[in-house]
Structures are given as structure tokens and as C-alpha cells.
């Protein structure tokens, strides 16, 4: 029996942080562990190139580090196919064919495109590749005839575009591509240590690699309820980022107690953060252990990708055969 396929990718543009872990990876792992999906997860290194084309040197290292963190977080190569986009050249081939049938207007009205073009000012993104980003993404997805694509809300326009492009291909040539569904993640809203969105560009992220003194410094400097200037000011856990983290990492009984004590100024923020630090250290310990394991065994990581790349390429070649037939080539 064919299992429904799940496909998702991540761009290797920096180290993974807790926002990435809880925003995406946890969902990927959950879908993998359900056992009724055939999951394909890949390093979107060509997509990284759209913004990093001037400085490509780091992409490779970020990719390697990212896969180590995937494995450490619980992605299991015995259950999921883990591969690298650029190792399966068919993605570009399909991208190019799809680009022939994608009206420019669909790309120009893409909200992510419009947003990034105004937001990112430190580099020139008026390139063909950047405009075509969602076409490559569509190729990534329909190549494997994906049923579901786990993504955050920001990616919804790209999945909708993928559906439109698949529909157009099916209409023009032959109905070979199913229209994928987005699989939305309800994400706990984890902010960076300064209270803004967690992002490497704000320098406020807690990374999966952070431990010991580094982790401690970050946790102890986290923003809390700004109304709690003094220890005997009552706090509002519902607006406190430290409390959101407790919700994930601290056991439920303790979380209730913190909630109660914070409201009656029975606990200070420093003590509250110390509890969080201990919870984080405990919660992330198995992940950190696996990190050490894979960091010491680059050959094992390479082997995982090699077999994933081969498995993905087999399917990609089959799909491209169908595409060529549909085009009459
Ligand atoms: N655009 C996605 C992001 O920035 C990454 C991505 C590339 C992707 N190809 C994909 C996600 C295919 C899902 C499916 O997060
Ligand atoms: Fe936040 Fe904890 Fe301080 Fe309350 S006591 S404001 S939950 S850090």
C-alpha cells in the first residue's frame, strides 16, 4: 500500500534555534512518528542561494549543521527520507518546465515576494531566481506528489501557488500531479530573549547548540513582564515569554505553581528563570547528547544523506519520466 507523502524543506541560512524546533521540526517529527505517512524532508540549499548568492561559502556548513540538529531533535532516517535539494538535479529541471507555465502575475502578487523586497535592503533581490522562488518550491513539492506540506502560516501563499501551478500543468498536459494540502502547525509563540520574534538577524535566538554558560546567560537575560519592575510587583504570566517556555519545558504542576506565585509576587523573575534554565537543560539533554554523537561522526551524517539522496532521486527520475511523456518529449 502506498502511504501518503509528506514533503517539507528548510533553508540552510543559519543555525537552528528553539523557534525552528517548535515551529517546524517538532511537527515534522510528529508526522514521521505517526507511521502512516511517508515523509520527505530536505535541505533547501538552492533556496538558500536566492538570498545568499553573494556569499555561498557558508551554505554547505549550515546544511551539515542543520542535518545534525535534525537528527538530534529526532528525525529518524529509518523512518523519513532526509536529502539535499541540490543533490537531486531533477528539481531544477522541473522548476524550469513549471516556470514556462507560471504566469508572471502570479509571482509578482506573491505577498512574501513583495514583503521581502521591501524589508531586505542589505542585498539586491531583484533577480529572476528570487521572483521564481515559489516555482522551485512547487517543483520540490509536486516532484514527490506530496499529499501534505507542513509549513508555518507565512508559507501558505507558496502552497496555494503550488496548487495553482499543479492544476495548470494537469490542465495543459496530463493530470499527473495531486494538489498538496498545507499541514499547519499551531506554534507556541516563542519569542527571542529580547521579546521580539526569535530570529538570527535580531541576534536574540536560543540555538539548539547553546549549552552551559551560553544558555545560562541567554535565559537569565530574557525579557519578562515589563510591569514587574520590583520583586513585589505582581506579574502577568500570560504575557511573559519566560512563562511560554515553561509551558513547553517545565512539568505541569510546577507551571501552575509559577502562574500562581507570579501573580501574587511570590516568586521573582530571576528565580523563575533559574527554574526555566534547569527545565531547558533537562529537556534538551537527550538532543545535546545526540548532537555530540553526530558531531563526532560526520561520516554517519554523510551516509544518511547519501541514501536519502538516492531514494529521493529514484522518485524524481520517475516523475520526470512522466513529465516528459506528458509534454510529448
Ligand atoms: N520556502 C520554505 C521556507 O522558507 C522552504 C522550502 C523550500 C519548502 N522548498 C519547500 C518548504 C518545499 C516546504 C516545501 O520555509
Ligand atoms: Fe515571567 Fe516568571 Fe517573572 Fe512571572 S515570575 S513575569 S512568569 S519570569
Amino acid at each position: 500500500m502506498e502511504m501518503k507523502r509528506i514533503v517539507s524543506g528548510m533553508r540552510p541560512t543559519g543555525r537552528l534555534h528553539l523557534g525552528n524546533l517548535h515551529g517546524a521540526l517538532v511537527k515534522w517529527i510528529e508526522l514521521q512518528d505517526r507511521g502512516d505517512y511517508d515523509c520527505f524532508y530536505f535541505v533547501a540549499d538552492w533556496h538558500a542561494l536566492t538570498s545568499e548568492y553573494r556569499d555561498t561559502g557558508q551554505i554547505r556548513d549550515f546544511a551539515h549543521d542543520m542535518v545534525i540538529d535534525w537528527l538530534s531533535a529526532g528525525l529518524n532516517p529509518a523512518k523519513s527520507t532526509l536529502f539535499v535539494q541540490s543533490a537531486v538535479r531533477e528539481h531544477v529541471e522541473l522548476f524550469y518546465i513549471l516556470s514556462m507555465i507560471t504566469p508572471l502575475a502570479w509571482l509578482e502578487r506573491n505577498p512574501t515576494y513583495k514583503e521581502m523586497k521591501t524589508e531586505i535592503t542589505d542585498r539586491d533581490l531583484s533577480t529572476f531566481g528570487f521572483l521564481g522562488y515559489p516555482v522551485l518550491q512547487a517543483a520540490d513539492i509536486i516532484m514527490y506528489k506530496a499529499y501534505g506540506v507542513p509549513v508555518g502560516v507565512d508559507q501558505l501563499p507558496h502552497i496555494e501557488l503550488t496548487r495553482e501551478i499543479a492544476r495548470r500543468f494537469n490542465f495543459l498536459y496530463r493530470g499527473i500531479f495531486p494538489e498538496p494540502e498545507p499541514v499547519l502547525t499551531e506554534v507556541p509563540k516563542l519569542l527571542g530573549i529580547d521579546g521580539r520574534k526569535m530570529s538570527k538577524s535580531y541576534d536574540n535566538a536560543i540555538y539548539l547548540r547553546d549549552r552551559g554558560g551560553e544558555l545560562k546567560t541567554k535565559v537569565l537575560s530574557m525579557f519578562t513582564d515589563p510591569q514587574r519592575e520590583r520583586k513585589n510587583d505582581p506579574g502577568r504570566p500570560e504575557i511573559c515569554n519566560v512563562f511560554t517556555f515553561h509551558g513547553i519545558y517545565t512539568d505541569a504542576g510546577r507551571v501552575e505553581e509559577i502562574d500562581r506565585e507570579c501573580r501574587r509576587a511570590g516568586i521573582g523573575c530571576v528565580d523563575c528563570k533559574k527554574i526555566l534554565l534547569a527545565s531547558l537543560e533537562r529537556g534538551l539533554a537527550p538532543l545535546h547528547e545526540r548532537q555530540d554523537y553526530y558531531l563526532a561522526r560526520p561520516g554517519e551524517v554523510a551516509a544518511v544523506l547519501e541514501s536519502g539522496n538516492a531514494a529521493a532521486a529514484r522518485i524524481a527520475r520517475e516523475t520526470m519520466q512522466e513529465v516528459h511523456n506528458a509534454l510529448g518529449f
Side-chain angles (χ1 to χ4, degrees), residues 7-9 11 42 44 47 133 137 140-141 149 151 155 158:
V7 174
S8 200
R11 289 182 306 141
F42 67 93
H47 275 115
Y133 184 110
Q137 184 162 351
D140 298 336
I141 295 167
V149 187
V151 285
Q155 291 290 311
H158 289 170

Side-chain angles (χ1 to χ4, degrees), residues 7-11 24 28 40 42-48 85 91 112 116 133-134 136-142 146 148-152 154-155 158-159 162:
V7 174
S8 200
M10 225 182 253
R11 289 182 306 141
W28 288 14
F40 284 70
F42 67 93
V43 177
D45 52 354
W46 273 323
H47 275 115
Q85 185 186 37
H91 284 235
T112 323
M116 298 266 274
Y133 184 110
L136 179 58
Q137 184 162 351
D140 298 336
I141 295 167
I142 68 177
V149 187
V151 285
D154 62 306
Q155 291 290 311
H158 289 170
I159 308 306
T162 301

Side-chain angles (χ1 to χ4, degrees), residues 80-316:
S80 297
T81 303
L82 309 179
F83 70 100
V84 179
Q85 185 186 37
S86 66
V88 185
R89 308 282 155 113
E90 284 80 0
H91 284 235
V92 170
E93 195 184 353
L94 185 55
F95 158 70
Y96 196 63
I97 293 169
L98 297 180
S99 74
M100 298 301 168
I101 66 169
T102 305
L104 266 182
W106 291 6
L107 300 174
E108 283 162 348
R109 69 168 189 233
N110 167 24
T112 323
Y113 174 72
K114 290 198 280 190
E115 222 176 86
M116 298 266 274
K117 270 203 85 168
T118 46
E119 259 179 38
I120 296 179
T121 49
D122 62 337
R123 58 196 102 177
D124 185 4
L125 289 183
S126 24
T127 61
F128 170 66
F130 188 65
L131 180 66
Y133 184 110
V135 185
L136 179 58
Q137 184 162 351
D140 298 336
I141 295 167
I142 68 177
M143 181 72 86
Y144 303 94
K145 302 188 177 176
Y147 153 82
V149 187
V151 285
V153 272
D154 62 306
Q155 291 290 311
L156 282 182
H158 289 170
I159 308 306
E160 190 47 42
L161 250 170
T162 301
R163 294 167 60 87
E164 282 168 326
I165 293 171
R167 211 176 300 145
R168 188 155 163 84
F169 184 100
N170 293 341
F171 165 75
L172 286 172
Y173 308 114
R174 194 178 290 171
I176 60 181
F177 293 120
E179 289 176 33
E181 305 282 344
V183 180
L184 268 187
T185 326
E186 322 82 52
V187 195
K189 196 139 180 56
L190 292 181
L191 302 172
I193 58 175
D194 61 357
R196 293 186 291 172
K197 179 183 175 242
M198 194 182 289
S199 158
K200 71 166 165 118
S201 37
Y202 292 152
D203 197 20
N204 65 0
I206 300 177
Y207 292 97
L208 301 192
R209 294 290 167 91
D210 291 342
R211 319 180 188 182
E214 210 167 355
L215 186 61
K216 184 174 175 187
T217 310
K218 285 190 181 177
V219 172
L220 292 183
S221 66
M222 282 172 82
F223 268 45
T224 65
D225 177 357
Q227 266 184 21
R228 285 206 78 183
E229 277 173 24
R230 263 166 259 99
K231 201 174 162 180
N232 44 10
D233 294 332
R236 297 165 296 173
E238 69 277 8
I239 62 141
C240 177
N241 190 34
V242 172
F243 191 74
T244 314
F245 275 89
H246 274 304
I248 300 176
Y249 284 95
T250 304
D251 47 84
R254 201 85 194 272
V255 175
E256 242 176 74
E257 186 188 325
I258 291 169
D259 183 278
R260 209 174 340 110
E261 292 305 313
C262 171
R263 287 177 200 288
R264 53 177 282 272
I267 181 175
C269 291
V270 175
D271 289 328
C272 185
K273 290 177 189 175
K274 283 185 182 155
I275 299 171
L276 177 61
L277 178 64
S279 304
L280 273 171
E281 281 174 335
R282 185 163 22 83
L284 293 173
L287 186 152
H288 288 152
E289 260 169 53
R290 284 190 292 264
Q291 255 172 7
D292 290 337
Y293 176 91
Y294 287 110
L295 280 166
R297 291 168 183 79
E300 206 166 308
V301 179
V304 163
L305 292 177
E306 220 171 280
S307 73
N309 291 343
R314 270 195 302 278
I315 298 169

